[in-house]
Amino acid sequence: QGCTQKYIVKNYFYYYLFKFSAALGEEIFYITFLPFTYWNIDHSVSRRMIIVWSIVMYIGQVSKDILKWPRPLSPPVVKLEMRTNAEYGMPSTHAMAATAISFSFFIATMNQYKYPFELGLAAAFVFSTLVCLSRLYTGMHTVLDVIGGALISAVLLVLLYPAWDTIDHLLLTSPFCPLFSIVVPLVLCYNYPKLDYYSPTRGDTTTILGAAAGATVGFWLNNQCAASAHTGTGVQPGLPLASSTVVFVLARFLTGILVVLLTRWLMKSAVLGVLGYRYQFPMGDLQARRRLEVEVPYKFVTYSCVGLTATVLVPLLHQLLGLM
C-alpha cells in the first residue's frame, strides 16, 4: 500500500544523508561495490564478503517472513520508501547487510594490508551505523528491528569466521562446487516461505542467491584455469595512489560496470521472453512476473549470469584491454 501522508523536508542535510545511506543497503550498492573489490582490491576479500553477504541476507529475508513482525505504522510514521513497504520489518536486512559487508571487509583486510586498525574499525562502524540510522529516518524500521538485524549479523559473522578459509578452499577446489552452488540456492528459492500476499522478499532473495551462485561458479572456473584466485593485482588499501593507478582503477570499474549492466539487461529480456512464451504472458505483465514459476527462474538466471560475468568475463576483458 502506498503512503498518502505529505511531509515537508526541513533539514536537507539529514534528508539526503540518510537517503544516500539507505541506498548503501540496496542493489545499486551491491552491484557496484562487491565487483569493485574483485576488480581492484583483492579476490580473496571479495570472495569472503560475497559468501558472508549471501548467507546473512538469506537468513535475514527468511526470518522476516517467518516472524511476520509489521513495519512501523503510518501514520504516525512517515515512510520515505514504498518499494519494500510490503515486506515485514524484523530483522532489518539493511542493518544486517551493512554490518556483514563492512565488518567482513575489515576483518578480511586487517591482516593482509597495512592500515591503522582503529581507522578500519571506525570506518566499518560508521558505515553500518549510517545505514542503520537511515532505516529509522526513512520510517521503514523500528529501533528493535535495526538492533536485531545488526546483532544477528554480528553473531553470524562470529560463527562463520572460523570456517572462512575452509569454505573458501572448498569453493575453489571441489569438483562439486558448480553443482552445489546452483542447486542449493535454487532449492532454497523454490522453497521460500509462502505468504498470503505478494512480498518482494522472495524476489530479492532470489536475486542475492543467484548473484552469489554465479560469482561462486566464476571463482571456481578462475581457479581451474590457474587464474590468480587468492590475491588480486589491484590496489592495496592504505597505500598512496599514483594518478596513473587511479585512472586504471576507474577504467576497470567503468568498463566492468557497463558490461555487468548490459548483461543484466540482455539476460532479463531474454529470460522473460522465453518465460513469457512458455506461460503465455506479455513481458510487461507485472502480476505474471510475480508468480513463483516465473519470478524464481527469471531472477536467478539473470543474476547468476551477472555474477558469472563480473568474475570471469570482465577480468578477461580487462586483460584484453590492458587494464590489469
Side-chain angles (χ1 to χ4, degrees), residues 122-133:
F125 180 78
V126 169
F127 178 89
S128 55
T129 300
L130 279 175
V131 176
C132 290
L133 291 177

Side-chain angles (χ1 to χ4, degrees), residues 33-51 104-105 108-109 112-113 164-165 168-169 171-172 215-216 218-224 226-237 252 309-316 318-319 323-324:
F33 178 72
L34 294 177
F36 179 88
T37 61
Y38 190 78
W39 300 330
N40 291 301
I41 299 180
D42 192 294
H43 289 187
S44 66
V45 171
S46 181
R47 291 198 305 269
R48 283 160 172 76
M49 287 172 56
I50 289 173
I51 291 168
S104 61
F105 181 82
T109 58
Q112 296 191 42
Y113 302 101
W164 266 13
D165 292 337
D168 190 49
H169 178 73
L171 292 179
L172 289 177
T216 303
F219 300 150
W220 183 85
L221 286 173
N222 288 338
N223 189 64
Q224 302 308 305
S228 178
H230 292 282
T231 56
T233 56
V235 179
Q236 293 189 356
R252 281 196 292 264
T309 297
T311 53
V312 177
L313 295 184
V314 170
L316 290 176
H318 286 163
Q319 289 182 0
L323 297 176
M324 298 300 292

Side-chain angles (χ1 to χ4, degrees), residues 12 35 73 79 114 216:
Y12 282 94
L73 295 177
K79 296 182 178 179
K114 293 180 179 179
T216 303

Side-chain angles (χ1 to χ4, degrees), residues 195-233:
L195 298 177
D196 296 331
Y197 65 94
Y198 178 80
S199 167
T201 48
R202 184 184 65 202
D204 291 345
T205 304
T206 305
T207 294
I208 292 165
L209 293 184
T216 303
V217 173
F219 300 150
W220 183 85
L221 286 173
N222 288 338
N223 189 64
Q224 302 308 305
C225 296
S228 178
H230 292 282
T231 56
T233 56

Side-chain angles (χ1 to χ4, degrees), residues 17 30 105 114 147 234 282 299 318:
L17 172 66
Y30 305 145
F105 181 82
K114 293 180 179 179
I147 292 176
K299 287 185 175 289
H318 286 163

Side-chain angles (χ1 to χ4, degrees), residues 235-246:
V235 179
Q236 293 189 356
L239 298 177
L241 298 180
S243 58
S244 60
T245 304
V246 173

Side-chain angles (χ1 to χ4, degrees), residues 31 211 214-215 260 263-264 267 301-311:
I31 208 169
V260 165
T263 300
R264 183 178 67 166
M267 292 308 302
V301 172
T302 297
Y303 284 91
S304 61
C305 289
V306 166
L308 190 64
T309 297
T311 53

